[in-house]
Amino acid sequence: MPKEAIVRTIGLKKTFLLGKIPLHVLKGIDIEIYRGEYISIMGPSGSGKTTLFNMIGGLDKPTEGKVYIDEVDIAQLDAYELAWLRCRKIGYIFQTFNLIPVMTALENVMLPMIFGGMENDEAMNKAKELLETVGLGERLHHKPFELSGGQQQRVAIARALANDPAIILADEPTGNLDLKTGKEIIHLLKEMNKNKEVSIITATHDLKMLDVSDRIIWIRDGMIERIEDRENLQIKVGEVEGEEAG
Amino acid sequence: MATEVPETKKIQRQLTLPLSHAFHMSIRSIRIRFGRSIIVTMSIVLGIAFLMSILSSNAFVTGILEKGPENIKIALQQNLEEIRTRQMWLVSLSLLVCVVGIVNAMLMAVTERSREIGTMKCLGALDKFVVELFLLESSMQGLAGSIIGVIFGGTATFIIYLLRYKGLIWSIFPAGLLLKYSAFSIILGIAISVIGAIYPAYVSAKMEPAEAIRREV
Ligand SMILES: Nc1ncnc2c1ncn2[C@@H]1O[C@H](COP(=O)(O)OP(=O)(O)O)[C@@H](O)[C@H]1O
Ligand SMILES: [Mg+2]
């Protein structure tokens, strides 16, 4: 069976205008990501990872180039279709968790299902199940501020999975977490990737991510530096570790 | 390459949720953000109370001029021009204070929730849902704040006039005019609150979610 590209970008460019000075953040990104893959996008801070994510996730418009999700050019979608795509096809996880502060864990997880038109009871049952899956069965009615960072990120993962998306975009999901909690979150993501067959794309400069990734896309200054399969990676880890320390 | 899209992969259109969803969500949001809601509501109360005290003072003067005893009327009429001009100024000034105060409070309250708006859009909210949510929230705050403001402002002025003119106030009580001014103040309070909230909510909702989330306030 040929590999199915769930995300494909062609000549993706993004330029921000700072006053009158153009800042070329993405300078032509071509990537293909296949169904069920776990991809890490690695690159130093400021290299354009978040910007790339926003383009792939339909959260911002590229200056040039195309993004295809499941072979659909997302620039062609109207507001209703784009909202549907964000609701059903893609789950988002942020470095800063971005839970709705006035809602409980359960309500946060229910929200995408409500937006998707699901009945309240059904949404509630599914949200409970998801929170149990991420290990928060005992914290359903806690507000975000009553939860630790790791717990909040678990809620965010449950929320991202709410409508059984084909893709999860996780932008530095461990960036605000300590080492141990970060590892747990990564393994949780990997588990979801295996069990739910969801493609996971994470941006990170966290080397712990390398272990679980199928491929690693290195970007620097808005360009792809290299793309590596995990099998070919072992020899490089030492070098990478050195780079990080330096 | 992007020509044949299988049925299962087709992008569909997001549903429009019934207004009741936004309604429940906005009530909860006001309740849970109680402390913050109180501060915003208080600025509506203050603005409207100020406006209402000036308007009701106007009403009492008008009442005395219409139905009061001759000696007081004459005393009032001697500097009627001056009183009228002063009242006009005060009304305009209080309107201004009221509008600026409420719009400012609403702008701040909604703008600081830009990230929340962006997040909701990531989860599949339509722009109009976001705008509905803030429309309902701000009109409820506007209604509550204006009613309290009218009661405070009206009562305070009434007490002042009662102390000055004693029993006379009862015989000239300008009920109709006071009612008219109360209705005006409440409608104005709601309108300003809604406008002050909808503008930033609309701006954030129209933004690309990435920008709304990124925006630091
Ligand atoms: N909305 C924006 N306006 C202006 N500059 C931006 C904007 N978003 C990102 N940038 C700039 O683009 C560069 C890349 O940012 P980002 O994609 O966040 O990098 P990363 O996620 O890899 O750290 C940075 O220099 C950042 O300041
Ligand atoms: Mg980033």
Side-chain angles (χ1 to χ4, degrees), chain A residues 49-50 95 171-172:
Chain A
K49 301 183 295 296
T50 298
Q95 179 174 356
D171 189 6
E172 313 223 15

Side-chain angles (χ1 to χ4, degrees), chain B residues 39-72:
Chain B
I39 295 173
V40 174
T41 309
M42 276 312 288
S43 60
I44 302 172
V45 170
L46 280 177
I48 294 297
F50 184 33
L51 178 67
M52 186 58 194
S53 66
I54 302 297
L55 288 177
S56 50
S57 157
N58 223 349
F60 285 118
V61 170
T62 310
I64 292 168
L65 284 174
E66 274 172 10
K67 298 185 237 162
E70 285 307 315
N71 57 338
I72 296 184

Side-chain angles (χ1 to χ4, degrees), chain A residues 16-18 23 25 43-52 60 171-172 219, chain B residues 211 214:
Chain A
F16 291 108
L17 281 181
L18 299 174
L23 179 66
V25 174
S45 167
S47 55
K49 301 183 295 296
T50 298
T51 309
L52 176 60
D60 204 354
D171 189 6
E172 313 223 15
I219 76 169
Chain B
E211 205 182 327
R214 204 181 124 91

Side-chain angles (χ1 to χ4, degrees), chain B residues 40-41 43-52 55 91-110 134-146 150 181-201:
Chain B
V40 174
T41 309
S43 60
I44 302 172
V45 170
L46 280 177
I48 294 297
F50 184 33
L51 178 67
M52 186 58 194
L55 288 177
V91 170
S92 321
L93 192 72
S94 61
L95 263 172
L96 194 72
V97 169
C98 174
V99 171
V100 172
I102 296 175
V103 165
N104 182 47
M106 283 300 184
L107 275 175
M108 302 249 301
V110 180
F134 283 90
L135 188 125
L136 288 168
E137 221 180 289
S138 58
S139 54
M140 283 188 268
Q141 281 186 320
L143 178 68
S146 309
V150 160
Y181 285 152
S182 303
F184 170 77
S185 302
I186 290 172
I187 290 169
L188 187 80
I190 296 174
I192 303 169
S193 311
V194 168
I195 292 166
I198 285 305
Y199 173 71

